[in-house]
Amino acid sequence: MAISYLLRSSILAVAALLLFSVNLAKGDIREYQFDVQTTNVTRLCSSKSIVTVNGQFPGPTVFARERDLVVIRVINHSPYNMSIHWHGIRQLRSGWADGPAYITQCPIQPGGSYVYKYTITGQRGTLWWHAHISWLRATVYGPIVILPKAGVPYPFPAPDKEVPVVFGEWWKADTEAVISQATQTGGGPNVSDAFTINGLPGPFYNCSAKDTFKLKVEAGKTYMLRLINAALNDELFFSIAGHTLTVVDVDAVYVKPFTVDTLLITPGQTTNVLLTTKPSYPGATFYMLAAPYSTAMSGTFDNTTVAGILEYEDPSSHSTAAFNKNLPVLRPTLPQINDTSFVSNYTAKLRSLATAEYPANVPQQVDTRFFFTVGLGTHPCAVNGTCQGPNGSRFAAAVNNVSFVLPSTALLQSHYTGRSNGVYASNFPAMPLSPFNYTGTPPNNTNVSNGTRLVVLPYGASVELVMQGTSVLGAESHPFHLHGFNFFVVGQGFGNFDPVNDPANYNLVDPVERNTVGVPAAGWVAIRFLADNPGVWFMHCHLEVHVSWGLKMAWVVQDGSLPNQKILPPPSDLPKC
């Protein structure tokens, strides 16, 4: 992966410091310029023009420390509308910089620009950035590396080297044409042609051996792999032959370390792992494999495997030649594609550190409870139309039977100016209006409603949300991402959530804290968070195909009574619709 960056400290105007900084006395200012442009790229012996940042695929890494102010000027030279989301950044009071199109901003139009400004508060680890409009994040993405405050060590042995490892998907076709065709037909979109590691498909795909990510290591060293799943539509298993991985951080939050042979990472999630190499030169090379986890019964998916290569530096040779084909290549064994038991056992191992320095501030009391059903459904085909969804309908998806419709005006601006009338309604249902056997026999009517309906929360409310997967058109896992907040995963299980007995098994001591969580196939997950960030915040499935079908919604968190509990005013260069 080509990683270059513009990283420099400078002095901003006093007004900007007052407006955007949070305790900058101990932080620096990190400035970048992102030129969004089209670039010709060749993969799988096929060239096409893709949208990139600074001509790089994947894009440049954003480096910063906790407490730093990050300033990124995005200039849109592409022919598409553009917005960029800084996935997992809390954006405390700076929702104008969050990035989802028509939620917190209108898109940056071709030829336009916008300066994103945000302070990194209480976070350290790996996050990532990506386009947040249509399917442009297929190629517009890159890592965010957040180092601890200066002088503060990791709560685990310091690695000898750190390496971003970003999983993605590659289409030979234009992804904007792929989603446009699916939208017109109402069917599932065409699947990707390959998975990638740092933009490279690897040797298991035709005409791709030269495009293989290789991690060169030395014996007796420790490497921290900063794993990011930037794939549009697939949860992935990942393993390295002959080596174990120690998980130390997820979604930029430290966890109690545990060691595995294989891990799962869903779209939107990040995982930092420690890889300790063998004590002496092994005389072999090792495949690094990623392949999908899926329980899908509807539509199709990319059932292929991407490979990178872990190769040891030979201490007896000073050659810098490429991969030695004469060495044996060892291959790991990945779980079966639908191994839900493995996924459940793996996620159960994730626990917050819950120490004095890194506490798990789980809300012990709850002010507001929500129960959301999440899953697939249908929309009727137009009269005299031809649709390719189930039984001649159109695929749809919904939260509490509401398929979310993006407005033509940014929701945050409508909320901030008090002009929400006609843009959105504040009556999103707190629970299903028509309960049914969510993971059993589906109802006869699979149609869902359309609407731009939001939940409104008072500032400081403690919230419990149970997301219940449904099996209306087949049971699938749904990775959900909540903008503007971290949350604690206090419980999960299979079947229908039992509001009487299941809460008794909640973990309120050291549950994992993250920003993206998988709702188990034919199961449920319970999360808790504190509504301490005023603004409008998107929540959506991070499978782009399901987002396209409406599996999303938004929250309004009202201003608090104190000055530091109110959203900051919009910047003067906020894009206009």
Side-chain angles (χ1 to χ4, degrees):
M1 174 176 64
I3 299 178
S4 67
Y5 59 92
L6 173 65
L7 177 56
R8 64 184 185 270
S9 296
S10 65
I11 301 175
L12 295 183
V14 172
L17 286 173
L18 291 175
L19 187 59
F20 294 104
S21 65
V22 178
N23 195 19
L24 276 181
K26 297 182 181 179
D28 291 329
I29 301 169
R30 312 291 186 179
E31 289 189 89
Y32 296 82
Q33 180 164 309
F34 277 20
D35 288 292
V36 180
Q37 61 195 74
T38 55
T39 304
N40 287 327
V41 174
T42 300
R43 295 288 186 272
L44 310 177
C45 274
S46 177
S47 297
K48 69 172 185 175
S49 178
I50 65 171
V51 182
T52 65
V53 168
N54 298 349
Q56 300 170 40
F57 172 65
T61 299
V62 172
F63 290 94
R65 288 191 181 275
E66 183 183 352
R67 290 186 179 175
D68 285 351
L69 173 67
V70 179
V71 180
I72 303 179
R73 178 179 295 277
V74 176
I75 305 174
N76 187 10
H77 307 280
S78 83
Y80 303 100
N81 284 348
M82 176 58 59
S83 70
I84 293 182
H85 171 50
W86 317 94
H87 186 112
I89 297 290
R90 285 290 316 276
Q91 299 290 2
L92 291 169
R93 303 175 62 213
S94 59
W96 307 104
D98 192 41
Y102 302 106
I103 303 296
T104 59
Q105 68 167 95
C106 294
I108 307 168
Q109 298 180 18
S113 65
Y114 181 44
V115 179
Y116 292 90
K117 300 180 182 181
Y118 53 86
T119 300
I120 297 173
T121 305
Q123 295 179 282
R124 76 294 298 171
T126 303
L127 296 172
W128 64 300
W129 57 265
H130 60 82
H132 211 300
I133 182 169
S134 191
W135 274 28
L136 291 172
R137 80 170 178 89
T139 57
V140 180
Y141 60 82
I144 301 176
V145 172
I146 306 173
L147 300 175
K149 290 174 285 189
V152 177
Y154 294 129
F156 46 81
D160 296 292
K161 187 177 181 180
E162 303 180 7
V163 182
V165 177
V166 188
F167 305 109
E169 288 179 272
W170 181 263
W171 277 260
K172 291 182 180 179
D174 178 358
T175 52
E176 291 303 282
V178 169
I179 185 57
S180 176
Q181 180 186 30
T183 301
Q184 292 174 10
T185 65
N190 292 336
V191 300
S192 56
D193 296 288
F195 294 112
T196 59
I197 299 178
N198 289 349
L200 302 172
F204 293 176
Y205 298 101
N206 290 334
C207 194
S208 190
K210 63 181 178 59
D211 293 326
T212 299
F213 172 68
K214 295 178 181 178
L215 177 61
K216 195 172 186 66
V217 299
E218 298 178 45
K221 300 288 187 179
T222 298
Y223 297 79
M224 184 159 74
L225 307 184
R226 296 178 175 268
L227 307 177
I228 300 168
N229 188 348
L232 263 67
N233 291 314
D234 288 279
E235 302 177 81
L236 296 170
F237 296 116
F238 176 68
S239 183
I240 302 177
H243 296 74
T244 57
L245 303 170
T246 300
V247 179
V248 295
D249 182 305
V250 297
D251 292 0
V253 181
Y254 296 134
V255 297
K256 290 182 172 69
F258 64 96
T259 300
V260 295
D261 296 317
T262 302
L263 58 82
L264 176 83
I265 185 167
T266 78
Q269 290 183 341
T270 66
T271 303
N272 285 359
V273 297
L274 298 181
L275 165 69
T276 300
T277 58
K278 297 183 181 301
S280 59
Y281 180 66
T285 54
F286 305 88
Y287 278 132
M288 313 163 59
L289 300 186
Y293 160 66
S294 177
T295 60
M297 298 176 62
S298 55
T300 57
F301 56 93
D302 186 348
N303 187 11
T304 63
T305 301
V306 60
I309 294 175
L310 178 73
E311 55 183 358
Y312 278 71
E313 183 176 317
D314 186 349
S316 65
S317 172
H318 298 289
S319 171
T320 58
F323 171 55
N324 184 347
K325 296 181 180 179
N326 295 322
L327 291 176
V329 185
L330 304 183
R331 179 171 179 162
T333 300
L334 294 175
Q336 294 295 310
I337 191 169
N338 60 350
D339 195 341
T340 297
S341 177
F342 173 92
V343 173
S344 179
N345 290 335
Y346 172 78
T347 56
K349 296 175 182 176
L350 294 165
R351 292 283 187 270
S352 291
L353 273 184
T355 62
E357 188 174 5
Y358 302 104
N361 295 317
V362 191
Q364 300 295 308
Q365 303 297 323
V366 173
D367 299 318
T368 308
R369 285 183 167 84
F370 297 92
F371 181 81
F372 289 176
T373 56
V374 297
L376 304 184
T378 58
H379 282 146
C381 193
V383 177
N384 297 324
T386 301
C387 297
Q388 297 177 1
N391 300 316
S393 66
R394 304 176 63 85
F395 267 117
V399 180
N400 276 358
N401 209 52
V402 178
S403 186
F404 190 84
V405 177
L406 284 174
S408 57
T409 302
L411 294 175
L412 179 57
Q413 191 169 5
S414 301
H415 163 68
Y416 184 84
T417 59
R419 299 173 182 172
S420 62
N421 188 33
V423 178
Y424 68 84
S426 302
N427 61 350
F428 192 90
M431 60 186 61
L433 300 181
S434 300
F436 61 97
N437 184 358
Y438 308 115
T439 58
T441 303
N444 292 328
N445 183 3
T446 61
N447 288 339
V448 301
S449 64
N450 285 332
T452 308
R453 303 165 68 180
L454 279 63
V455 170
V456 178
L457 294 171
Y459 181 89
S462 56
V463 178
E464 178 178 304
L465 166 62
V466 175
M467 289 181 280
Q468 172 73 61
T470 68
S471 57
V472 173
L473 292 179
E476 299 185 37
S477 175
H478 300 288
F480 263 81
H481 172 50
L482 175 60
H483 291 224
F485 299 91
N486 281 353
F487 51 77
F488 292 95
V489 183
V490 297
Q492 59 183 3
F494 293 103
N496 295 336
F497 175 74
D498 183 339
V500 175
N501 296 312
D502 283 331
N505 297 316
Y506 282 176
N507 176 6
L508 301 180
V509 177
D510 63 349
V512 67
E513 179 183 353
R514 58 189 326 162
N515 62 62
T516 305
V517 66
V519 179
W524 57 272
V525 65
I527 66 173
R528 288 187 179 183
F529 65 94
L530 186 67
D532 60 352
N533 195 6
V536 178
W537 304 106
F538 205 27
M539 189 181 82
H540 59 95
C541 181
H542 225 274
L543 303 180
E544 282 300 325
V545 60
H546 293 165
V547 174
S548 302
W549 292 338
L551 200 54
K552 50 197 173 185
M553 54 84 63
W555 307 76
V556 175
V557 177
Q558 297 172 323
D559 280 352
S561 58
L562 301 177
N564 65 352
Q565 298 173 345
K566 301 179 186 297
I567 190 169
L568 295 167
S572 59
D573 65 337
L574 186 70
K576 294 179 173 57
C577 288

